[in-house]
Amino acid sequence: MPAQDIVTNLVTAHKLSEEQAEKLRTEALNSGTSIEDLLQAKHVVSADDYSRAKAESLGIPFMTIAGRAITPDVVNFIPEPVARRYTLVPFQIEPEERGALSVAMLDPLDFQVIEFLEKKSGRPIKPFMGVADDIKAAIDELYTQSLGADVTAALEESAPTIKTYEAGHLGEVIREAPIAQIVSAVLEQAIRIRASDVHIEPQIGETRVRYRVDGILQERLMLPRRLQDAVVSRIKILADLKIDEKRIPQDGRFNFKMGESEVDLRVSTLPTVHGEKVVMRLLKKSGGIPTLGDLGLRGLALKHLETAIRRPHGIILVTGPTGSGKTTTLYSVLAILNNAKVNIMTLEDPVEYEITGVNQVQINPAAGLTFATGLRSFLRQDPNIILVGEIRDGETTELAIQAALTGHLVFSTLHTNNASGAIPRLIDLGAEPFLVASALNAVVGQRIARRLCPTCKEEYVPDEAVLADMRKVVGSLWPQDKPMMLYKGKGTVAGAACETCGGSGYVGRLGVFEVFPVTDAISKLTLTRAPMKDIENQAIADGMISMKQDGYLKALEAVTTIEEVLRVAQD
């Protein structure tokens, strides 16, 4: 074992200092312990860095399995008991007949195991150096999930039929059980891992299936390209779309139930150069609407919003980019206000959750029902509270302000980067500054960050530069008794992938907020068409906690990580 080379490689890669390397060499000589054992015992470098250096010393390629999409037919070459016993996992097979099977191994120099794998798989083995935790997490994911087994079985059943189908008989093929089983397995997996979206994407040689979990896309499955048309057509039939129309985008919906969980799926198809791409958005029909506290609103921000929504009239805006949870926040507010004494009407695109007791309308531009025309009709329906899904144009802006000034409480959303950008945006859309100052009650800015996994989170001491930045941003809000610790999700428990978060280190999401009421000082700035920065500075002077401050405080409280805060709330 060329241990000396490992240390040299670690120094070259700046994972060890020259001083640390010299100490290791001296201790190895004095104690008679190998440098390899010392590196592993002292944990001076990560397992990943150590394995990379070791692979380089041996001239063996290194491979990380996390994040790779591995097809079920590759996994089936090596049984689960063998993979677990020898800590290895297959991840790729060369396309030619009897092509080599690539395997990530903890010990790629164990030639007896390699010979055994060649006999077991009937393929030549191409060994790669891997990391124990990474390989074990991959084994847990690939062998214990039912998705791979279901799809593999379906592929075996459907292979002869799919290979010989003709375009004119596609309708017969898509009703066959194996294709239905593949679609069902994909959807069951989506519910199981809490996915919000499923992407089925045709590539050059295969079809990729990705899931969006907690806002991040994960590649989970690759299907043979020959199944693309049949799988898409099966989904089209479920969503009541035209299966023979492949030249234009289509939209549809259907319900899917697994056990006690029922979801409403919004289906969108889009023609691409390699075939039709399908995106399915999953909307839970059970589980209820979260409270404002559940979303992550607290303290002064929560107080400002609760005060604003209790006023009988005015406009409350929620701002942020697409996918930042604006609609969910508005639903949480409506759930507080919803009772038999008020008439609540919503105009949405689309209606994402159905709320008992609320009159919800979905816009239909093709039929002439837009936000502007719908809002005009709403005013003749004797509403107390109106929710307009989004303010997009001057006409909707004008109508929303008029509704607020004539005694209605109006909620809506705007696409701005932060709360202070809402007022200049309304003025840009044609609203008169004096009307905005009179009508606007409060503005909420928000983002969504992933929530730390409570099972596998661990604390660590951050770099001094990180702490200095946090202290500067948080300022006087810094908790006095808080130790200098941050937290991260390890993703593993006792060497195996964490079951709670599936190895990602995160489970669920929470909001990062900034909320300011429209005070007299902000009204004066509005009247003078002040720029966004001036409005933001005044809001902070009035006591607003900025989005980044809110995120840093949540990172200090082990609710999320500093990386997540910087990802979603960095200017």
Side-chain angles (χ1 to χ4, degrees):
M1 176 67 214
Q4 191 75 20
D5 290 344
I6 294 179
V7 174
T8 303
N9 290 338
L10 287 169
V11 172
T12 303
H14 304 292
K15 303 301 180 182
L16 275 182
S17 66
E18 288 286 1
E19 184 183 353
Q20 287 175 311
E22 194 55 42
K23 282 183 179 179
L24 282 168
R25 293 181 182 117
T26 303
E27 187 173 345
L29 285 172
N30 293 335
S31 65
T33 306
S34 71
I35 290 182
E36 180 182 7
D37 290 341
L38 286 174
L39 280 168
Q40 292 179 317
K42 290 180 175 294
H43 303 291
V44 290
V45 295
S46 69
D48 187 84
D49 291 335
Y50 171 78
S51 296
R52 284 179 187 274
K54 183 177 178 181
E56 188 177 346
S57 300
L58 296 170
I60 294 172
F62 177 81
M63 179 54 61
T64 301
I65 302 300
R68 288 185 65 94
I70 302 174
T71 57
D73 53 332
V74 172
V75 176
N76 288 341
F77 275 104
I78 296 179
E80 182 182 355
V82 174
R84 290 192 182 279
R85 180 176 178 183
Y86 298 111
T87 316
L88 53 88
V89 65
F91 62 88
Q92 186 175 304
I93 189 164
E94 293 177 2
E96 62 266 18
E97 188 176 351
R98 289 190 56 77
L101 181 66
S102 296
V103 181
M105 307 175 66
L106 186 60
D107 185 3
L109 294 179
D110 194 331
F111 299 111
Q112 285 187 320
V113 171
I114 292 173
E115 185 180 356
F116 170 68
L117 294 177
E118 288 179 339
K119 289 180 180 177
K120 193 77 177 173
S121 65
R123 299 271 181 159
I125 299 298
K126 191 174 180 180
F128 286 73
M129 177 73 74
V131 182
D133 286 350
D134 181 46
I135 293 173
K136 289 174 183 176
I139 292 172
D140 289 339
E141 181 178 325
L142 294 169
Y143 288 100
T144 59
Q145 291 173 356
S146 62
L147 180 61
D150 288 348
V151 172
T152 302
L155 293 180
E156 289 173 356
E157 288 182 48
S158 66
T161 308
I162 299 302
K163 283 179 181 175
T164 57
Y165 78 75
E166 299 175 11
H169 298 89
L170 187 60
E172 300 169 15
V173 177
I174 58 179
R175 290 180 176 83
E176 293 296 322
I179 300 301
Q181 186 180 342
I182 290 173
V183 173
S184 180
V186 167
L187 295 177
E188 286 175 13
Q189 176 74 343
I191 294 173
R192 194 175 294 118
I193 65 175
R194 304 172 293 102
S196 61
D197 301 85
V198 180
H199 293 237
I200 299 175
E201 303 167 311
Q203 309 288 301
I204 293 175
E206 51 203 353
T207 295
R208 177 171 67 176
V209 180
R210 293 194 291 174
Y211 297 89
R212 190 177 294 279
V213 181
D214 295 333
I216 306 296
L217 278 172
Q218 301 178 1
E219 203 171 277
R220 290 275 182 151
L221 179 67
M222 301 298 280
L223 294 173
R225 184 68 177 81
R226 57 186 169 81
L227 294 181
Q228 164 71 19
D229 289 344
V231 168
V232 170
S233 295
R234 169 67 182 168
I235 294 170
K236 280 184 168 183
I237 282 184
L238 293 172
D240 198 23
L241 302 178
K242 297 177 181 178
I243 63 171
D244 58 342
E245 180 55 83
K246 301 181 179 182
R247 301 165 301 170
I248 59 173
Q250 296 187 69
D251 296 299
R253 61 187 291 182
F254 66 95
N255 290 341
F256 182 80
K257 190 171 184 180
M258 183 183 80
E260 297 299 315
S261 299
E262 185 175 3
V263 294
D264 181 18
L265 289 109
R266 306 294 170 88
V267 180
S268 172
T269 68
L270 181 73
T272 72
V273 292
H274 299 302
E276 285 186 283
K277 174 180 175 177
V278 177
V279 174
M280 294 180 282
R281 167 151 290 189
L282 284 74
L283 302 171
K284 285 188 177 180
K285 302 191 95 177
S286 56
I289 296 171
T291 65
L292 293 175
D294 292 337
L295 295 178
L297 269 163
R298 69 224 177 126
L300 197 58
L302 179 59
K303 182 182 176 183
H304 284 328
L305 183 57
E306 287 180 335
T307 301
I309 68 177
R310 294 300 179 188
R311 294 180 65 178
H313 54 80
I315 296 178
I316 296 168
L317 293 175
V318 182
T319 71
T322 301
S324 59
K326 300 186 295 294
T327 303
T328 302
T329 299
L330 289 176
Y331 280 148
S332 297
V333 170
L334 290 188
I336 296 171
L337 300 175
N338 186 19
N339 61 63
K341 297 178 181 179
V342 294
N343 177 21
I344 301 177
M345 304 193 69
T346 75
L347 192 59
E348 304 172 60
D349 180 25
V351 174
E352 293 191 9
Y353 298 96
E354 296 179 8
I355 308 174
T356 303
V358 175
N359 304 288
Q360 295 173 271
V361 178
Q362 181 163 318
I363 71 166
N364 185 356
L369 179 55
T370 63
F371 282 126
T373 59
L375 185 51
R376 207 179 288 278
S377 299
F378 273 19
L379 297 176
R380 295 191 289 271
Q381 289 284 322
D382 187 30
N384 299 101
I385 298 168
I386 297 172
L387 186 152
V388 183
E390 183 183 343
I391 291 179
R392 296 177 180 172
D393 53 44
E395 188 178 3
T396 309
T397 304
E398 182 184 352
L399 288 167
I401 290 175
Q402 289 301 327
L405 293 174
T406 53
H408 304 90
L409 187 58
V410 180
F411 295 94
S412 192
T413 69
L414 269 179
H415 286 281
T416 62
N417 289 330
N418 50 30
S420 54
I423 293 174
R425 177 62 57 85
L426 288 176
I427 295 172
D428 288 345
L429 288 171
E432 291 292 343
F434 71 92
L435 293 178
V436 174
S438 302
L440 198 58
N441 287 354
V443 183
V444 180
Q446 72 176 76
R447 298 286 192 281
I448 292 186
R450 289 182 290 174
R451 192 185 292 268
L452 255 177
C453 175
T455 304
C456 67
K457 71 179 179 184
E458 60 179 7
E459 62 181 23
Y460 70 97
V461 180
D463 292 339
E464 190 56 43
V466 174
L467 278 174
D469 176 60
M470 292 183 70
R471 283 190 177 279
K472 180 181 176 183
V473 171
V474 174
S476 62
L477 298 172
W478 187 280
Q480 297 302 315
D481 57 344
K482 174 66 187 170
M484 302 302 171
M485 289 290 182
L486 289 178
Y487 302 82
K488 61 183 177 181
K490 190 177 179 183
T492 58
V493 176
C498 175
E499 292 184 5
T500 305
C501 64
S504 69
Y506 299 94
V507 56
R509 293 190 284 176
L510 79 160
V512 180
F513 295 92
E514 58 184 19
V515 181
F516 72 84
V518 179
T519 60
D520 290 342
I522 288 177
S523 293
K524 289 177 182 177
L525 289 174
T526 303
L527 291 171
T528 60
R529 299 177 182 262
M532 179 183 71
K533 195 63 183 175
D534 290 353
I535 294 171
E536 183 177 31
N537 291 338
Q538 183 59 54
I540 291 171
D542 290 340
M544 181 184 82
I545 296 172
S546 73
M547 212 178 295
K548 199 170 182 181
Q549 286 178 322
D550 186 43
Y552 277 176
L553 289 170
K554 284 169 178 169
L556 287 169
E557 294 166 7
V559 181
T560 187
T561 64
I562 190 72
E563 291 81 9
E564 277 297 289
V565 176
L566 293 174
R567 181 177 70 86
V568 303
Q570 182 71 290
D571 293 335

